[in-house]
Amino acid sequence: MGLYMAPSVSMAVLLTAQRIIPGIDWYWELLADAGWTAAVLYVRPARVARVLVGREKSLTPEVIEQTRELLVQEDVQVGPQHPMAAYWAQHVAIEGGAAANTVLEQIERTGESSMTAVIRSTLPGKPVPKIDLLELSAAINWPEDEIAITPVPRHGAGVRRLTVGQAPEAVLDIYTAWEKLIAPKGMPSTVITAIRTVDIPDEETKELPA
């Protein structure tokens, strides 16, 4: 608190001294004000305060960047809010677990007994480890034949799509619907790589034939 208050207090003392001490030329007052400004900008008391309380390890850019990375890792370790993500962190992503060094994100319930999520590696530049479905089945207490881990379209090996249970066909996303319903019958060995949507104004929609 003292460091945060230092600039304001020192400025108040400086201005008070300039006011009560007679005979000081204006250029000396201007020089004193410029010196105060330069000193505050150089010392940066607020940054020093953050270093002292441990929010930053140093004032050097390299260490600040390392501190930012540590804060991000701490945020990941604090624990996700979604119950399934929390369970994953406590039982599946632990050292020696079915999917060590991973987190569960983008969790969506797709039916009464089904869900999808994204498994992401917490190690920068490393892929999601190979997950044994039997171990994962035992960890989450779900039949292994209803668990699938597949690549995420347009993403690298650092993320994987987790599907648990049998979702109703109506709620399948377009990628899964194409893979399971359309490609096997109409266009074998094809996948959707990108989707482009176009907004059609209401006036044009009304003119479309029925």
Side-chain angles (χ1 to χ4, degrees), residues 83-202:
M84 186 60 190
Y87 183 89
W88 183 277
Q90 296 170 5
H91 298 87
V92 182
I94 58 176
E95 189 67 29
N101 301 316
T102 62
V103 292
L104 203 62
E105 301 175 337
Q106 302 179 30
I107 302 169
E108 298 181 10
R109 185 174 181 179
T110 57
E112 291 296 327
S113 303
S114 61
M115 58 159 282
T116 65
V118 171
I119 306 171
R120 181 175 62 83
S121 172
T122 58
L123 301 177
K126 296 295 183 180
V128 172
K130 186 175 182 180
I131 301 175
D132 189 304
L133 293 184
L134 289 178
E135 291 188 16
L136 182 58
S137 172
I140 65 176
N141 191 27
W142 200 269
E144 66 270 18
D145 59 350
E146 293 187 5
I147 302 175
I149 298 176
T150 57
V152 178
R154 307 185 307 280
H155 288 78
V159 293
R160 284 290 184 263
R161 171 74 63 183
L162 171 66
T163 304
V164 178
Q166 299 294 330
E169 295 180 358
V171 297
L172 292 177
D173 63 85
I174 186 62
Y175 298 100
T176 306
W178 182 276
E179 178 185 356
K180 293 186 176 181
L181 305 177
I182 302 175
K185 300 178 181 179
M187 301 184 68
S189 302
T190 62
V191 295
I192 294 178
T193 58
I195 297 176
R196 183 170 65 94
T197 60
V198 179
D199 293 331
I200 302 177
D202 293 339

Side-chain angles (χ1 to χ4, degrees), residues 8-85:
S8 300
V9 173
S10 60
M11 172 54 76
V13 172
L14 178 61
L15 295 177
T16 301
Q18 293 176 356
R19 181 68 177 176
I20 64 177
I21 299 177
I24 300 179
D25 293 330
W26 66 269
Y27 53 83
W28 286 112
E29 294 181 352
L30 182 61
L31 184 62
D33 295 340
W36 175 90
T37 303
V40 171
L41 291 176
Y42 178 77
V43 176
R44 303 183 69 178
R47 290 285 293 275
V48 176
R50 290 198 295 271
V51 172
L52 292 179
V53 298
R55 293 180 61 187
E56 291 183 7
K57 295 177 62 176
S58 172
L59 298 182
T60 60
E62 294 80 5
V63 179
I64 290 174
E65 184 63 29
Q66 295 176 3
T67 304
R68 186 179 294 110
E69 294 177 358
L70 290 175
L71 291 175
V72 171
Q73 294 178 6
E74 289 176 359
D75 290 340
V76 173
Q77 295 173 359
V78 165
Q81 299 299 318
H82 194 284
M84 186 60 190

